Every structure is written in C-alpha cells, then in structure tokens.
Amino acid sequence: QQPVQSPQAVILREGEDAVINCSSSKALYSVHWYRQKHGEAPVFLMILLKGGEQKGHEKISASFNEKKQQSSLYLTASQLSYSGTYFCGTELSNDYKLSFGAGTTVTVRA
Amino acid sequence: DTGVSQDPRHKITKRGQNVTFRCDPISEHNRLYWYRQTLGQGPEFLTYFQNEAQLEKSRLLSDRFSAERPKGSFSTLEIQRTEQGDSAMYLCASSASPTGNLYGYTFGSGTRLTVV
C-alpha cells in the first residue's frame, strides 16, 4: 500500500529548512528516501531500518518513528542543489520491495 | 560498472502494437525491479526478480504485461496490444541482496513510452 507524503510541494530560499513527512497505515520494516531531479532517475539518499538510528547525509537527515509508522526527512540550510522531488519508499516485510509515495517537490531559490 | 542501463530511452508506438524494453542491472546485483511512473506520481511497483526467479507481479498489472530475466542477468519487459493508458516512464532498478543492504536501489534512466 502506498505511503502518504506531505506536503506535496515546498518552496524555500537558500539556507532555509524544511521537513517532509511520510506515513503508512501498515507496520513498516524500513523506509528509504530518494531524490529525483527533472528528467533523471531517482537517486538513493538513505535507508532507515526498524529499530535503527536517525540517519544523515550531508545536511539532509531523517528519522523513523516505528510507533507511528512515520518517517520524516529534514533538509537543513538548504542549497540550490537540494531542488528536486523527494520520494519515500516503504518496505513492509524485509523483502526489499518498496512502495513509493507520490513525492514532495522541493524548489530552492537563491 | 556503468550503473543500470535501459534501452530504448524513448519509444513511440501505435495503439495495439507490442513493445519490449530491456534493462541491464549492475552486474553484482541479484535483485531487479520494474516500476512505472506517470507525471507527478511516484514509481508504481510492477514486478521484481531475485536472480532469474520472478518473485511477485503487481495485481494491477494486466496479462498484457510480461517480464523475464533469463539467466539472472538482463531483464525484458514486454507489453502486448498497447493502450494509451500504458503511456508512462518505465523504470528499472537493481539492488544487492536484502540482508544487511543499506545501499538501496539503483535506478536506470527509464524508458519513456508514448502510445499514440
């Protein structure tokens, strides 16, 4: 079942922060985060496992709340290069098969 | 390794024709996935393989769609009797075995299908 992402879109100025949320109605084994730039393939950012720690990738980090079946992606001190569409992919049962959300489009302006 | 390769990049076909797409995964990866993506949406799961075995096929996938991965290397996705609703980007991804895998999927650049 597809996870739900919010917000659908966000516009930032360079240096601002943003949070993207991903929620599931079912218990999750892991959450992946990907970024897709226009006309390109999605690129893996990070994976959060059940029982795992908060992860980070430069100034992009994420958390996973197992009780709420939610994950959040944090964009800190955003840069122009952070623009793109961010997708969460959720895994239900350690089969490494992902269902993706509809995406959150992030636009960072100078 | 040059990543995941998909061919062709673009395909325009007339309604009712059959089309076949190819995906060459990263050679060390034994998992291969097919997804479909339409404008403004996330990738939608179609099917996936572990080596040459097809593990699951989406219930949303009609019997006009078939995928193979002979010898556990490249994969093909065939759509028979194409319909306009089949127009989309078809993405292939590969990954290493799930156990302890912290590296996610590697996606190809996709094949954009337009059915006219």
Side-chain angles (χ1 to χ4, degrees):
Chain A
Q1 186 166 359
Q2 222 181 359
V4 176
Q5 283 187 239
S6 62
Q8 285 187 315
V10 60
I11 299 174
L12 303 167
R13 292 206 177 274
E14 269 188 299
E16 291 182 338
D17 303 340
V19 180
I20 300 169
N21 297 304
C22 173
S23 63
S24 172
S25 59
K26 297 190 174 183
L28 299 176
Y29 183 82
S30 78
V31 179
H32 294 213
W33 285 96
Y34 292 78
R35 178 172 63 206
Q36 185 176 32
K37 293 186 180 279
H38 184 68
E40 299 180 8
V43 173
F44 174 72
L45 294 176
M46 66 190 78
I47 180 174
L48 297 103
L49 300 174
K50 185 171 65 172
E53 302 172 354
Q54 181 165 338
K55 289 289 189 72
H57 175 76
E58 299 177 342
K59 292 183 178 177
I60 299 175
S61 62
S63 62
F64 180 18
N65 185 325
E66 295 170 45
K67 290 183 180 179
K68 293 184 177 181
Q69 306 307 326
Q70 289 179 350
S71 179
S72 295
L73 186 73
Y74 306 94
L75 307 181
T76 305
S78 58
Q79 305 169 12
L80 295 176
S81 62
Y82 288 2
S83 292
T85 301
Y86 290 78
F87 295 101
C88 68
T90 53
E91 179 188 9
L92 296 183
S93 58
N94 195 20
D95 58 3
Y96 226 68
K97 185 197 81 175
L98 299 180
S99 296
F100 287 92
T104 297
T105 299
V106 173
T107 304
V108 181
R109 294 179 175 166
Chain B
D1 201 331
T2 55
V4 178
S5 299
Q6 291 189 245
D7 184 69
R9 291 293 305 274
H10 304 275
K11 178 72 176 178
I12 300 174
T13 191
K14 292 185 178 180
R15 189 175 54 184
Q17 297 293 306
N18 299 344
V19 294
T20 300
F21 310 141
R22 178 181 170 121
C23 172
D24 287 89
I26 292 174
S27 56
E28 300 85 14
H29 288 178
N30 56 14
R31 282 286 187 97
L32 186 147
Y33 311 82
W34 285 100
Y35 284 81
R36 176 171 61 190
Q37 187 176 28
T38 52
L39 196 63
Q41 297 299 313
E44 175 191 23
F45 171 76
L46 295 179
T47 187
Y48 76 129
F49 294 83
Q50 171 118 350
N51 300 313
E52 66 275 12
Q54 187 172 19
L55 298 184
E56 186 176 335
K57 183 176 172 179
S58 169
R59 288 188 295 273
L60 300 175
L61 216 57
S62 78
D63 56 9
R64 297 184 297 107
F65 288 73
S66 63
E68 293 182 340
R69 192 183 182 196
K71 302 179 182 178
S73 55
F74 71 92
S75 176
T76 58
L77 177 69
E78 182 183 16
I79 308 174
Q80 296 182 331
R81 305 181 303 281
T82 52
E83 301 172 357
Q84 287 190 321
D86 297 332
S87 295
M89 177 72 83
Y90 289 82
L91 292 169
C92 175
S94 69
S95 75
S97 293
T99 304
N101 186 351
L102 301 179
Y103 300 103
Y105 289 8
T106 302
F107 280 91
S109 296
T111 294
R112 180 166 297 283
L113 173 67
T114 303
V115 182
V116 297

